Amino acid sequence: MIPLRLLADTGGEPVLPGTAVLRMETTPKRTGTFDGAWWPRSRHLESQLSELLAALTARLGPLTRVGLDAGAWDERPGHLVVEGRAVRIDWAVVADDTMIVTRGGQDHFLFLVIPPQTAPSRARAAMAMAVRDENSASAGRILAATGVTPADRTRVPAGAPGP
């Protein structure tokens, strides 16, 4: 299963591809832009997202939908089955390096998505910056500030096969 850790648990450990880091604080006031960051191992959505959603379901409960950038993945299924439940996948061509996970009708969690080709030190820095309290930087600014280059963010052409 995918390593799913809270930021406080990542201090001395290396962050490897496939890792997700969550802020997930239970506070009355939400601060910062992102609730988590995810560094998939590849652009093969079904294998990567299934693991993440199973780990998130264990922590958050049943999820209903995920919003992803259509240009960032090799395939574009309309849903995945997680823990016996269908999770709808919404696609948009936004090129914003984010993912929105929805639980129920109104609980939304925003994740920074680190490109799979990113060097480990840069991925860890981007993940840490994304989940830091009071962070208000966009995904693009976080990736630029941590040295993730446009070459790391190779996009799938808009006309590529998909649903």
Side-chain angles (χ1 to χ4, degrees), residues 64-153:
T64 56
R65 61 191 331 154
V66 176
L68 293 166
D69 179 10
W73 299 97
D74 292 337
E75 70 276 345
R76 296 177 197 105
H79 74 280
L80 290 176
V81 177
V82 179
E83 306 291 321
R85 296 176 50 113
V87 177
R88 180 179 166 172
I89 302 176
D90 296 324
W91 296 99
V93 182
V94 292
D96 68 354
D97 299 298
T98 64
M99 171 179 67
I100 300 171
V101 175
T102 305
R103 174 182 67 182
Q106 297 184 11
D107 290 336
H108 302 282
F109 303 93
L110 184 62
F111 285 75
L112 171 67
V113 179
I114 310 296
Q117 304 86 342
T118 303
S121 61
R122 291 179 178 164
R124 186 181 198 307
M127 294 173 94
M129 185 175 173
V131 297
R132 190 171 46 224
D133 283 341
E134 306 297 330
N135 169 54
S136 61
S138 68
R141 286 185 178 177
I142 291 170
L143 295 176
T146 56
V148 179
T149 67
D152 295 322
R153 295 187 247 172

Side-chain angles (χ1 to χ4, degrees), residues 1-5 10 12-21 37-42 48 51-52 114-125 127:
M1 182 170 271
I2 192 168
L4 183 63
R5 297 181 270 167
T10 64
E13 300 176 33
V15 174
L16 302 172
T19 298
V21 175
W38 176 43
W39 186 25
R41 288 182 212 88
S42 74
Q48 299 302 297
E51 286 184 48
L52 175 66
I114 310 296
Q117 304 86 342
T118 303
S121 61
R122 291 179 178 164
R124 186 181 198 307
M127 294 173 94

Side-chain angles (χ1 to χ4, degrees), residues 36-55:
W38 176 43
W39 186 25
R41 288 182 212 88
S42 74
R43 294 162 48 97
H44 183 261
L45 182 71
E46 288 194 43
S47 67
Q48 299 302 297
L49 188 59
S50 293
E51 286 184 48
L52 175 66
L53 295 181

